[in-house]
């Protein structure tokens, strides 16, 4: 990895810009909340100020902690996350109304309101964000836990497959029960495994990059260096087989291949990865019914529009109803789509905010990913560079996988849309991910110490007593 | 009728503000796209170190090979720019060796042969069995020892 470290010429900290943009994001969430109420009852909803105060307090605390503990961190990431999270809570609130309406029409018991729960999860997430920023003062210390996080990550990844602790919800076995709540450990495993990949590749990248044979213009790695790649491939296939979780499986393998590529700069790794992916995908398609079903629905969503294809078709109808500018918040009927609060929240946004709103949301994600990659460029150590690249790429890939699935670009795989979807584990771990990104960008943008002239350093060394120092 | 107007205003107002947020965010990134440039690393090397390339010299080394240590087997093709050795990330060969310094030594091409120069390392650089105290010409195949790593020049 010879990517240059782009020196922040005179990067100002711009904390005030961060505060202003975060306040803007909270204001947008309050306005969106008010819009739902105005559209439904024609008057301002009573809870708007409460929600605004809650979100404002949480993101305000997050901002103050960044100001105190990561003063040079990137100023754009936090406001963008605040906007997505605020908008997510409003959309979930809006879908709660829709669920209540449907229950009343059918004379069923009123469903649980998820928006207050999501607000509580956001509070827990911000607490975790604060904890990470306070505890991890130097991201390079995470490199010491390379193999610990590998073991913990693999354990958590495969935990739901164990009988007794694992719980099967909606056909996928990726939850574990902890008393009254269910937790999705793969979200935690995702970050732990990225720490492992970064730590491992920093120490091994020279071997992986330099020891190679040139065949037909491609640098092929030695057979024994293929081990880790094959292991990552096997682990993601194991997740696919045991837990029927297409999304996580795809995410893990994609993250690993990209980090390998970034670490070694060898195109051959991308080709090998794609080959393995194609083989694994084909095998999964022929062997597993649920994979075949997903692909069939993707190719012909309208063939069984009332059955298998129902969810995707309703989501597509939602986008179609929304058109360019959407129906307006509270004016559509996004509640028809199954799982609109989690995987299909993009369909709800597409219906009520239209293409214009979807594009804005996607651009906000793009801004976060860009800032993350920028942090990787300005970070001075390779571990931080790799980790920041992995974290940002994981975010981008996850958005691509679920938005691509919902819009019918690729087969649908169930992953959450970060910060927008309802789901405790996802919100908490994505805030932790952002805390790590901010920590790395803080290290990268921090003004370095004045350079020591070589003569001075040498003189100091000559004065020092000679000894063999292990560093 | 008035309420329809309000709903429309709120709807388009929300979208406009959403885009205003995106635009104000992107404005701060704009400097990333056209602003700063990566520093040119070659400019840091002293111009005097760059000697004219010896034409067709059969004694000139073409490769630097690591024969012992964690990086054993690594090969670097030599050009006509100096090679820095050390644990620092910006070294030409980044050593993963606990006994090497961040900026340990430098190999500089000369008219006759490459010279090795110690950069004030903690544990020293050895050419064969003698410690390198001043820029010393390196014969082909002579082992250069840095910490637990051994390198040699080859044709």
């Amino acid at each position: 990895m010879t990517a240059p470290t782009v020196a922040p010429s005179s990067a100002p900290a711009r904390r005030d810009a961060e505060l202003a943009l975060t306040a803007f994001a909270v204001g947008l969430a309050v306005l969106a909340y008010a819009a739902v109420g105005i559209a439904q009852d024609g008057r301002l909803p009573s809870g708007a100020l409460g929600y605004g105060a809650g979100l404002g307090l949480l993101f305000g605390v997050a901002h103050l902690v960044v100001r105190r503990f990561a003063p040079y961190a990137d100023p754009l990431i936090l406001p963008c996350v605040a906007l997505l999270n605020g908008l997510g809570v409003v959309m979930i609130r809006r879908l709660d109304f829709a669920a209540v309406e449907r229950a009343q029409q059918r004379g069923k018991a009123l469903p649980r309101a998820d928006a207050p729960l999501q607000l509580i999860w956001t509070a827990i997430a911000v607490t975790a964000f604060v904890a990470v920023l306070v505890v991890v003062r130097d991201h390079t210390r995470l490199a010491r836990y390379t193999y610990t996080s590998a073991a913990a990550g693999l354990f958590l990844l495969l935990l739901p497959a164990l009988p007794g602790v694992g719980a099967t919800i909606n056909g996928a076995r990726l939850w574990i029960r902890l008393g009254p709540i269910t937790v999705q450990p793969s979200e935690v495993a995702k970050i732990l495994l990225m720490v492992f990949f970064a730590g491992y590749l920093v120490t091994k990248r020279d071997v992986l990059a330099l020891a190679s044979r040139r065949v037909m213009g491609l640098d092929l790695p030695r057979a024994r260096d293929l081990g880790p790649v094959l292991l990552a491939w096997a682990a993601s296939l194991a997740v696919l087989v045991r837990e029927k979780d297409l999304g996580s499986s795809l995410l893990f393998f994609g993250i690993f291949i990209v980090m390998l590529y970034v670490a070694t700069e060898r195109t051959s790794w991308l080709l090998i990865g794609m080959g393995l992916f194609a083989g694994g995908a084909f095998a999964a398609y022929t062997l597993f019914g649920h994979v075949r079903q997903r692909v069939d629905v993707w190719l012909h969503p309208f063939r069984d529009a009332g059955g298998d294809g129902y969810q995707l078709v309703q989501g597509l109808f939602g986008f179609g109803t929304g058109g360019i500018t959407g129906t307006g918040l509270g004016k559509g009927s996004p509640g028809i789509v199954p799982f609109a609060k989690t995987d299909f929240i993009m369909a709800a946004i597409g219906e009520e905010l239209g293409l214009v709103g979807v594009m804005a949301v996607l651009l906000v994600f793009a801004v976060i990913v860009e800032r993350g990659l920028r942090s990787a460029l300005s970070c001075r150590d390779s571990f931080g560079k790799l980790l920041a690249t992995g974290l940002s790429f994981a975010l981008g890939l996850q958005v691509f996988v679920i938005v691509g699935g919902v819009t019918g670009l690729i087969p649908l795989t169930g992953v959450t849309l970060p910060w927008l979807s309802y789901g405790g584990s996802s919100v908490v771990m994505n805030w932790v991910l952002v805390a790590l990104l901010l920590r790395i960008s803080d290290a990268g943008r921090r003004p370095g110490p004045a350079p020591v002239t070589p003569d001075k350093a040498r003189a100091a060394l000559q004065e020092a007593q000679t000894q063999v120092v292990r560093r | 009728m008035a309420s329809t107007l309000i709903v429309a205003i709120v709807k388009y107002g929300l979208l406009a503000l959403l885009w205003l947020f995106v635009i104000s965010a992107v404005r701060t990134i704009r400097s990333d796209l056209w602003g700063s440039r990566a520093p040119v690393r070659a400019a840091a090397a002293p111009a005097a170190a760059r000697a004219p390339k010896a034409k067709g010299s059969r004694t000139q080394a073409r490769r630097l090979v690591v024969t012992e240590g964690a990086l054993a087997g690594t090969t670097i093709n030599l050009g006509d720019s100096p090679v820095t050795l050390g644990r620092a990330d910006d070294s030409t060969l980044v050593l993963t060796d606990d006994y090497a310094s961040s900026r340990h030594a430098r190999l500089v091409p000369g008219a006759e042969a490459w010279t090795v120069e110690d950069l004030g390392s903690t544990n020293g650089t050895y050419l064969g069995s003698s410690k390198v105290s001043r820029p010393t010409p390196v014969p082909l195949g002579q082992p250069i020892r840095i910490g637990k790593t051994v390198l040699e020049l080859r044709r």
Side-chain angles (χ1 to χ4, degrees):
Chain A
M1 189 170 66
T2 52
T5 302
V6 177
S9 46
S10 59
R14 307 193 75 155
R15 287 273 78 85
D16 294 332
E18 178 184 89
L19 179 62
L21 272 176
T22 309
F24 190 178
V26 172
L28 261 173
V30 173
L31 181 67
Y33 190 92
V36 174
I38 291 172
Q40 294 204 318
D41 328 324
R43 58 192 172 83
L44 283 174
S46 54
L49 281 181
Y51 267 81
L55 288 174
L57 183 72
L58 286 175
F59 301 149
V61 167
H63 166 74
L64 287 179
V65 168
V66 170
R67 206 174 257 268
R68 170 80 179 78
F69 290 100
Y72 299 97
D74 193 279
L76 273 183
I77 296 179
L78 184 63
C80 288
V81 172
L83 177 74
L84 293 173
N85 202 337
L87 196 61
V89 171
V90 172
M91 284 316 290
I92 291 163
R93 176 83 184 147
R94 191 259 165 277
L95 290 163
D96 278 344
F97 285 133
V100 167
E101 228 166 72
R102 281 166 68 85
Q104 278 169 345
Q105 279 170 3
R106 296 181 183 178
K108 283 184 188 166
L110 294 187
R112 183 184 63 174
D114 284 333
L117 278 176
Q118 179 78 346
L119 208 54
I120 293 173
W121 278 116
T122 306
I124 296 172
V126 172
T127 316
F129 170 86
V130 169
V132 170
L133 274 184
V134 172
V135 173
V136 185
R137 291 297 179 85
D138 177 10
H139 63 272
T140 50
R141 298 184 65 160
L142 291 175
R144 293 184 198 168
Y145 303 103
T146 297
Y147 290 96
T148 316
S149 52
L154 273 181
F155 174 72
L156 284 173
L157 195 58
L158 301 175
L159 192 59
L162 292 180
V165 282
T168 305
I169 301 179
N170 308 327
R173 195 179 173 86
L174 57 151
W175 281 265
I176 54 169
R177 277 190 203 290
L178 287 178
I181 53 170
T182 50
V183 181
Q184 207 172 335
S186 64
E187 294 280 348
V188 189
K190 191 173 73 184
I191 292 184
L192 285 174
L193 287 178
M194 273 189 269
V195 171
F196 162 64
F197 292 159
Y200 172 80
L201 289 171
V202 162
T203 50
K204 290 282 157 56
R205 63 180 170 155
D206 292 323
V207 179
L208 293 176
L210 293 171
S212 56
R213 278 175 296 125
R214 240 183 133 70
V215 179
M216 288 164 59
L218 262 185
D219 287 307
L220 287 184
R222 290 181 301 186
R224 59 178 167 161
D225 294 333
L226 279 171
V229 187
L230 291 176
L231 196 68
W233 182 68
S236 57
L237 270 187
V239 170
L240 178 65
V241 177
R242 289 293 305 159
E243 298 167 18
K244 297 191 173 177
D245 184 6
L246 271 170
S248 304
S249 155
L250 186 66
L251 273 184
F252 286 122
F253 193 59
I255 292 167
F256 183 72
I257 291 301
V258 164
M259 288 179 78
L260 195 57
Y261 170 60
V262 171
T264 59
E265 289 189 336
R266 290 299 153 109
T267 325
S268 57
W269 287 121
L270 281 186
L271 296 179
I272 291 169
M274 278 183 218
L276 283 172
F277 173 76
F282 182 74
Y285 178 78
T286 39
L287 288 177
F288 306 118
H290 66 282
V291 178
R292 205 174 312 140
Q293 184 205 338
R294 292 286 177 89
V295 173
D296 290 345
V297 166
W298 167 59
L299 289 174
H300 313 285
F302 291 93
R303 183 183 286 166
D304 188 11
D308 284 346
Y310 183 73
Q311 190 184 24
L312 184 61
V313 164
Q314 291 303 328
L316 291 175
F317 281 155
F319 282 111
T321 312
I324 300 292
T325 55
T327 58
L329 275 176
K331 284 289 188 185
S333 48
I336 297 173
V337 188
F339 302 112
K341 284 175 193 168
T342 53
D343 293 1
F344 268 69
I345 198 145
M346 209 55 179
I349 293 173
E351 180 167 357
E352 303 216 313
L353 295 177
L355 181 69
V356 175
V358 169
M359 283 300 158
V361 167
L362 288 181
L363 270 179
V364 172
F365 275 118
V367 166
I368 300 177
V369 172
E370 198 273 351
R371 295 319 291 171
L373 291 175
R374 185 75 193 172
S375 311
L377 274 182
S378 58
C379 182
R380 295 185 182 99
D381 63 291
S382 351
F383 175 75
K385 269 186 198 297
L386 262 183
L387 186 58
T389 311
L391 294 170
S392 342
F393 175 76
L395 202 59
L397 183 63
Q398 187 161 347
V399 173
F400 172 76
V401 163
I402 184 60
V403 176
V406 169
T407 52
L409 180 67
I410 54 173
L412 180 66
T413 50
V415 293
T416 55
L417 191 57
W419 299 294
L420 282 167
S421 293
Y422 173 76
S425 317
S426 162
V427 169
V428 172
M429 287 330 285
N430 280 311
W431 272 92
V432 167
L433 184 152
V434 160
L436 290 176
L437 267 187
L438 285 181
R439 173 51 72 219
I440 295 171
S441 82
D442 175 52
R445 290 161 55 95
R446 190 182 290 274
V452 182
T453 55
D455 288 342
K456 237 181 191 174
R458 207 174 296 180
L461 268 171
Q462 278 164 358
E463 281 162 27
Q465 284 179 325
T466 310
Q467 59 174 352
V468 173
V469 179
R470 188 186 171 94
R471 296 210 174 173
Chain B
M1 200 54 212
S3 72
T4 345
L5 187 65
I6 292 174
V7 167
I9 290 173
V10 169
K11 173 184 156 187
Y12 290 108
L14 187 70
L15 289 177
L17 285 175
L18 203 57
W19 275 91
L20 190 65
F21 181 91
V22 172
I23 289 166
S24 48
V26 170
R27 266 182 53 199
T28 40
I29 309 185
R30 206 176 46 179
S31 64
D32 277 7
L33 300 177
W34 293 286
S36 70
R37 283 172 55 228
V40 184
R41 200 172 286 163
R50 264 178 258 161
K53 199 174 174 183
K55 277 182 204 157
S57 166
R58 289 191 156 266
T59 55
Q60 195 70 302
R62 300 237 176 80
R63 290 180 304 147
L64 176 67
V65 181
V66 181
T67 54
E68 272 179 53
L71 294 178
T74 307
T75 303
I76 284 189
N77 290 325
L78 297 170
D80 44 7
S81 54
V83 172
T84 53
L85 308 163
R87 296 189 311 137
D89 278 328
D90 54 356
S91 309
T92 319
L93 179 63
V94 180
L95 300 172
T96 43
D97 187 329
D98 284 342
Y99 295 93
S101 299
S102 303
R103 287 181 178 68
H104 198 111
R106 186 165 66 169
L107 282 164
V108 180
E112 295 298 318
W114 285 69
T115 51
V116 64
E117 182 185 355
D118 191 78
L119 298 176
S121 65
T122 312
N123 293 334
T125 306
Y126 292 85
L127 183 61
S129 55
S130 59
K131 190 167 178 177
V132 176
S133 53
R134 67 179 73 81
T136 314
V138 186
L140 288 178
Q142 179 85 298
I144 305 168
R145 185 178 291 276
I146 291 174
K148 294 199 163 189
T149 307
V150 180
L151 315 108
E152 56 182 72
L153 292 176
R154 285 184 194 162
R155 230 169 333 127

